[in-house]
Amino acid sequence: MRKHLSFFILILFLLPGVFSLAKTSSSSDIRYLFAYFTDKNENRNGMHLAWSEDGYTWNPIGPEHSFLKSDYGTWHADKRMRDPFVMQGPDGLWHCIWTLNWDGNAIGYACSKDLVHWSRQSYPKVMEGYEVRNCWAPEMIYDEENGQYVIYWASTIKENGEWKTEPGEKYDHRMYYTTTKDFKTFSPAKIFFDPGHNVIDVTIQKKDGKYYMLYKDERIWPKAKKELSVAVSDHAAGPYIPTGDKPFATDWVEGPAVCPLSDGSYVVYMDAYTRHRYEAKRTRDFHTWEDVTDRISIPKDAKHGSIITVSEEFVDNLLSEVSAFQHREKLRNERLALPDSLKGAIPVEAEITVHGNRAKKISDNLFGIFFEDLNYAADGGLYAELIQNRDFEYSPEDGARQGWDSGYAWSVREGGHSSPVTIAVENPLHENNPHYAVLQANPGVALQNDGFDGISLKKGDKYDFSLFARLPEGSKGGKMIVRLLDQDGREVAQSAVNVSSKEWKRQHTVLVANADVRAGVLSLEPKLTGTVHLDMVSLFPQNTFKGRKNGLRADLAQTIADLHPRFMRFPGGCLAHGDGVHNIYNWKETIGPLESRKPQRNLWGYHQTKGLGYFEFFQYCEDIHAEPVPVIAAGVCCQNSQGGGQQGIPMCDMDAFIQDILDLVEYANGDASTEWGRKRAEAGHPEPFRLKYIGIGNEDQITDAFEERFTMIYQALKTKHPEITVIGTAGPFNEGTDYEEGWAIVNQLGVPMVDEHYYQTPGWFLNNQHFYDSYDQKGVKVYLGEYAAHLPGRPNNLEVSLAEAAYMTSLERNGDVVSMASYAPLLAKEGHTQWNPDLIYFDNQTVKPTVNYYVQQLYGQNAGDEYLPSTVKLSDSSEDIAKRFPVSVVKDSKTGDLILKMVNILPSATRARIRLEDVTAAGSRAVKTVLSGALEDKNLEPQSSDCEVGQEFTCELPAYSFTVIRFKIKSVY
């Protein structure tokens, strides 16, 4: 695991200021922290902090630095944090709760030792058992009498089938509460405070053995109150009785937060939201009040929050953390172009010494590919099927397009007019394929499909056409004329099938195109009497990759194969764990006859037929000599799922879920005599696929639900199939809570490999070329499953490509730690992208590799299994120059080739003198391949040529270039 020494040092440094502050700090050491949110980015910017020395003047830290963000729910609708409330418990931890959303029955929770590094988040459903509109503005107090936390909030509930609200209003809150000792188990919610009217925004301050509650009168009728009053109790959990005093704050205020000053007085801050400012009252007894609004200075745009007391040292550490973060952000935002202040140092000369006697073994599976059905990568893309919605199973739930239903992409043509296709469900072809088309066989009627942006055809090519057809009672059989039409309606191919069966029966024919067609149409014209039922209408080019039936688009599959990937991860990342538990990808639904496969909504907002399923994935891996790396959900769905974020498979269903994973191993590796090995053999592959790796989880939020289920899956696989390398997950980022917690789990369980993901700026990749240098070489191995360099606008240009090329030299250097790495995403169909940038773009006729593709290809085609350290001396040794000239040297023991990779991210050519030490060149000739251009260039390809090599030789590396030199060697000592 990577060593985060700074984190542990910081914790030790902070601990003296965390515990028993009042006993260890003098009044001059006391500082105050105000935790708050803003309305910016629809409340998605998380919790901000401001500090004060006197409790009146506040200084934002950052400013607007996010110390904690909510990870609840979907990106487009959730991820909000409102009303953050922070308090320190007797355990020394800072506990934070917050409002998650405008509606729902849950609140957010996390804890921290230092307000910087946070625990995994949880979202307790505190109002479970009620029909509730909301849980707003949660706060808490520690009940010393009973050794528990009392958490309270405002909710509007439904009773006896009706919402309890004021006339015509949506909300009428009462205060509810729960108790907990550990923030894992919670008592059932009960009424906490009900003054007989709408009430919200409660905060409690303990003074002289009594608990003073400040609350907002939220009544609208008969006249809006919006006032703050006081209630009091002898016990933390109540009951609270209003004091009877007049409201201490009136005229549209809310969100009181109490700052206890060192002189024994209290300043109560409140959001005067109609006046767009904060106001304040000062008290010593919660009965008499002094207005001190003119004394306060609060951060602009601050909304509700809470105030805590800390030490000066504690605040200084927060300021230092933010300063360090800002420095890291500066490095992240650095561009590859050399700063003007350093351009006087160029041109640079380089001396590179290769140390042959210090070679080390590295992974021979380092560079591979990650396939996900994103950007129409499968249907309409790599999967060669030309008919869209061939099974009439599209559903409005699949995506947001108008008319996205069972008839999508189909139409009935008659006499120059078009009408929707009729869909039926009685006695379907298969229970997993319940919809089919009903076509009336009138003269001139034709059922047409326009494919995926049209059907592309090549002159002279053969196309396999098939369908399932059935004649209902009263209909008589006949021919079904099958035509392919070009975009102008001209016929380019014709054939026919006979339809005569009263039961579902597959019919097949072959069509030959007599012209090239950019965007054609399939037309089916019934020559029979009555009606006909149709399903699974398919048109497949015979020219698929390797000629496979139900195969892959040849040019696209070959472009991927040309990367020389050592492995292939599939069927996706987020796609694998799905949008909700019901949407988790089920491998068993993707094998067997096509009509029996179960299609479903694609998490990325469209439809997946599952025609490209696990058999086809395994077959393709075998065809391109890549290790298959299937990824299975870890018993939880994606944390960005609609309807509440991450959810776990019910524990009562986990045994079956785990058995499905064990069955996958049997399907891939089992003898043909086994149940699932037989299914593989029936599909045409009696020999095992020799599966070695399984990924469990995909950049999951690390929660208790995840850990419990992941542990069950891992232990089952370890017991039943110790030969399988399980790959765990460390969240979606290269730092933060999920990263730390994910690593903790894999270390605790002894998981052999962990999947890291990060999409970063070119500046990050440039400045983190030593990211893996501190990882334990004998510990858990790393699979860098998703990475790419992103600039604003997400271009595929030379700048991001060289950033990736530079970083990949460090992956080779740390190839004994990093076992696998794959750029992501792989494919994108133009006009149908949900994510940019991607490695390969395509349309129906053309494949368009990017500059990034060629970087990946040069690494894939020039991979090695030994790394040879090198010493690089530059004529200017400044860090800014050195990091722009990374070098990697590997040996391919299978071919006996030495491969030198040099990335020159400098604005002028660099003359490099290479010296081989303890390694001998076998000849004087080598192949040099160069990718170069301007940083903004998007259309570049590498150029290869011969060059001379020897024990010492020189070469010139063009400005902004990636150069690979490959040659034979005699030996490495």
Side-chain angles (χ1 to χ4, degrees), residues 392-621:
F392 305 96
E393 295 302 327
Y394 276 28
S395 166
E397 296 180 358
D398 292 339
R401 288 204 182 100
Q402 185 176 4
W404 191 285
D405 55 24
S406 295
Y408 188 82
W410 293 96
S411 63
V412 176
R413 300 285 296 179
E414 183 176 6
H417 299 286
S418 180
S419 61
V421 62
T422 300
I423 302 295
V425 296
E426 294 80 18
N427 300 315
L429 174 62
H430 193 278
E431 62 181 357
N432 290 339
N433 180 12
H435 298 90
Y436 56 88
V438 178
L439 184 62
Q440 185 69 41
N442 295 327
V445 167
L447 179 64
Q448 295 189 346
N449 185 281
D450 53 10
F452 298 90
D453 302 326
I455 298 173
S456 179
L457 304 169
K458 291 184 179 180
K459 183 178 180 179
D461 277 7
K462 296 179 179 180
Y463 297 86
D464 288 323
F465 170 83
S466 64
L467 57 70
F468 280 83
R470 176 180 68 185
L471 294 173
E473 290 298 327
S475 296
K476 295 183 179 179
K479 286 187 176 182
M480 179 74 70
I481 306 300
V482 184
R483 293 188 175 92
L484 296 176
L485 312 175
D486 67 13
Q487 49 266 32
D488 297 316
R490 295 185 293 262
E491 181 181 292
V492 296
Q494 183 186 130
S495 188
V497 294
N498 290 313
V499 178
S500 58
S501 174
K502 300 295 183 181
E503 303 296 330
W504 288 108
K505 186 175 181 181
R506 185 175 184 270
Q507 304 293 337
H508 172 265
T509 189
V510 177
L511 296 110
V512 182
N514 61 26
D516 290 331
V517 176
R518 176 182 58 81
V521 172
L522 170 74
S523 179
L524 305 177
E525 185 177 346
K527 299 295 185 181
L528 47 82
T529 301
T531 60
V532 60
H533 297 170
L534 304 173
D535 205 350
M536 291 299 296
V537 182
S538 174
L539 183 70
F540 245 91
Q542 288 189 355
N543 180 29
T544 61
F545 185 69
K546 302 290 186 182
R548 301 290 185 191
K549 292 293 185 182
N550 193 52
L552 308 180
R553 178 175 155 177
D555 57 348
L556 198 50
Q558 186 60 55
T559 302
I560 297 171
D562 289 343
L563 288 166
H564 288 204
R566 300 306 196 272
F567 67 88
M568 177 175 171
R569 174 180 176 229
F570 62 86
C574 293
L575 181 83
H577 59 187
D579 187 7
V581 169
H582 66 285
N583 192 240
I584 288 176
Y585 195 94
N586 185 338
W587 75 270
K588 288 183 177 179
E589 296 174 349
T590 76
I591 63 170
L594 297 180
E595 65 272 17
S596 70
R597 300 188 185 186
K598 190 173 182 179
Q600 70 177 131
R601 174 182 181 268
N602 186 307
L603 172 142
W604 295 105
Y606 54 96
H607 183 87
Q608 49 186 333
T609 65
K610 308 279 187 67
L612 175 53
Y614 261 64
F615 179 85
E616 290 75 26
F617 283 125
F618 278 125
Q619 182 71 77
Y620 184 50
C621 289

Side-chain angles (χ1 to χ4, degrees), residues 2 728-731 733-734 739 743 754-758 771-772 775 782-787:
R2 192 180 182 206
T729 180
F733 307 112
N734 59 283
Y739 175 82
W743 266 101
V754 65
D755 183 9
E756 294 190 347
H757 293 181
Y758 39 87
F771 186 80
Y772 289 109
Y775 277 50
V782 173
Y783 168 30
L784 179 51
E786 297 183 32
Y787 73 96

Side-chain angles (χ1 to χ4, degrees), residues 112 213 260 315 562 584 633 680 692 722 746 784 803 880 961:
S112 172
M213 171 189 286
V315 171
D562 289 343
I584 288 176
R680 182 197 66 241
K692 300 175 184 176
V746 300
L784 179 51
D880 282 313
S961 65

Side-chain angles (χ1 to χ4, degrees), residues 93 95 109 111 119-126 128 149 151 178-187 702-705 707 741:
L93 293 175
H95 300 277
Y109 168 76
C111 66
S119 71
R120 61 183 71 171
Q121 295 182 16
S122 61
Y123 313 106
K125 296 180 179 179
V126 291
E128 197 163 32
Y149 297 88
I151 303 174
T178 182
T179 61
T180 183
K181 294 179 182 291
D182 56 8
F183 294 93
K184 293 182 180 296
T185 58
F186 300 84
S187 64
I702 308 301
T703 63
D704 293 347
E707 181 175 10
E741 294 275 346

Side-chain angles (χ1 to χ4, degrees), residues 640-689:
N640 304 312
S641 294
Q642 301 177 66
Q646 185 191 84
Q647 303 123 45
I649 291 174
M651 293 304 293
C652 60
D653 296 330
M654 277 302 297
D655 285 347
F657 184 79
I658 291 171
Q659 187 59 52
D660 284 346
I661 300 174
L662 300 177
D663 290 344
L664 171 61
V665 179
E666 183 176 287
Y667 179 79
N669 295 348
D671 186 86
S673 63
T674 64
E675 177 184 0
W676 291 98
R678 181 171 62 253
K679 293 181 184 296
R680 182 197 66 241
E682 291 170 351
H685 200 285
E687 295 301 316
F689 283 119

